Amino acid sequence: IIPTLAVPISLIATFGAMYWLGFSIDNISLLGLTLAVGLVVDDAIVMLENIVRHIEEGMKPFDAALAGSREVGFTIISITISLVAVFIPILLMGGVVGRIFNEFAMVVTISIIASSLVSLTLTPMLCARLPARREGHVGGHEENGLFFRMLIGAYRAGLDFCLRAKPLILLLFLATVAATVYLFMVTPKGFLPQEDIGQLQVSTEARQDI
């Protein structure tokens, strides 16, 4: 419920900033909002998981909210700065392309900043109202079903393999980077895709005294 509340509140704050900046709801701003929905929930999940970890270890919810938010506050700020930095080149683009995508970058940037503020304020406050750990309940996975235990086991096996085969994982990473550079060089690029609309337009210019 807590991350579900963080998403609409962050988007509502984004709408307020859009109104203040004079942006309208068009295809570009909707594209930014669509992308932002997947980004604004991350901060709330990071904060929530850390606080719940303290609650499962026996702390009272209020104390867990204070301790958990204190631990990951800098992490959330770092996540926000890194995500905003991705869109700085779009904000600084000039020409027609920059004019078109400036609104997109602004909407995403504002929503990410709003999400970080919500995660540093509202999310810990809501987590402080969570129920305390029940007596005799240690950890958070004992009562989960078979599917969740299988999922945790598969994740653990994959993580153990990656930690044992560090050189192989590094080679895969470098190969991915090289493939990305190669595809960037060979893939056709353009401002707008060419499309066949089934029309032929001809323009002609005659003498002024015709």
Side-chain angles (χ1 to χ4, degrees):
I1 295 174
I2 293 174
T4 304
L5 290 174
V7 173
I9 292 176
S10 301
L11 295 182
I12 289 171
T14 306
F15 281 130
M18 288 173 60
Y19 177 79
W20 182 67
L21 293 172
F23 292 162
S24 62
I25 298 179
D26 50 29
N27 286 340
I28 299 298
S29 61
L30 285 176
L31 176 63
L33 290 170
T34 303
L35 178 63
V37 169
L39 297 175
V40 298
V41 73
D42 292 343
D43 295 339
I45 291 176
V46 170
M47 179 66 74
L48 175 68
E49 289 293 330
N50 195 52
I51 294 175
V52 169
R53 177 178 65 87
H54 285 294
I55 295 176
E56 290 178 346
E57 290 174 354
M59 292 182 66
K60 294 181 179 180
F62 184 82
D63 297 331
L66 291 177
S69 59
R70 205 176 287 122
E71 289 176 352
V72 300
F74 180 76
T75 303
I76 290 178
I77 295 174
S78 302
I79 293 173
T80 302
I81 293 174
S82 63
L83 289 175
V84 170
V86 173
F87 295 94
I88 289 178
I90 302 178
L91 288 171
L92 300 179
M93 289 175 65
V96 178
V97 180
R99 292 290 298 273
I100 291 177
F101 287 101
N102 180 266
E103 183 178 355
F104 165 78
M106 285 293 295
V107 168
V108 177
T109 300
I110 292 169
S111 64
I112 292 172
I113 295 174
S115 168
S116 65
L117 294 176
V118 169
S119 299
L120 293 172
T121 55
L122 178 66
T123 301
M125 184 272 291
L126 294 175
C127 290
R129 300 297 179 182
L130 288 173
R133 181 176 67 90
R134 298 187 300 272
E135 292 298 329
H137 178 66
V138 181
H141 305 310
E142 285 77 9
E143 296 182 358
N144 290 303
L146 176 63
F147 175 76
F148 191 81
R149 291 198 298 271
M150 291 174 59
L151 190 64
I152 293 295
Y155 173 74
R156 183 180 293 113
L159 185 60
D160 290 340
F161 171 78
C162 292
L163 292 175
R164 286 196 307 268
K166 293 179 182 178
L168 176 61
I169 301 302
L170 179 61
L171 289 176
L172 288 175
F173 168 71
L174 296 176
T176 303
V177 174
T180 303
V181 173
Y182 172 75
L183 290 174
F184 178 78
M185 295 173 61
V186 301
T187 302
K189 294 172 287 292
F191 175 42
L192 291 175
Q194 299 292 329
E195 60 177 305
D196 184 7
I197 59 176
Q199 295 180 354
L200 180 64
Q201 183 176 358
V202 177
S203 124
T204 178
E205 183 178 352
R207 300 192 315 270
Q208 295 181 2
D209 59 346
I210 191 169

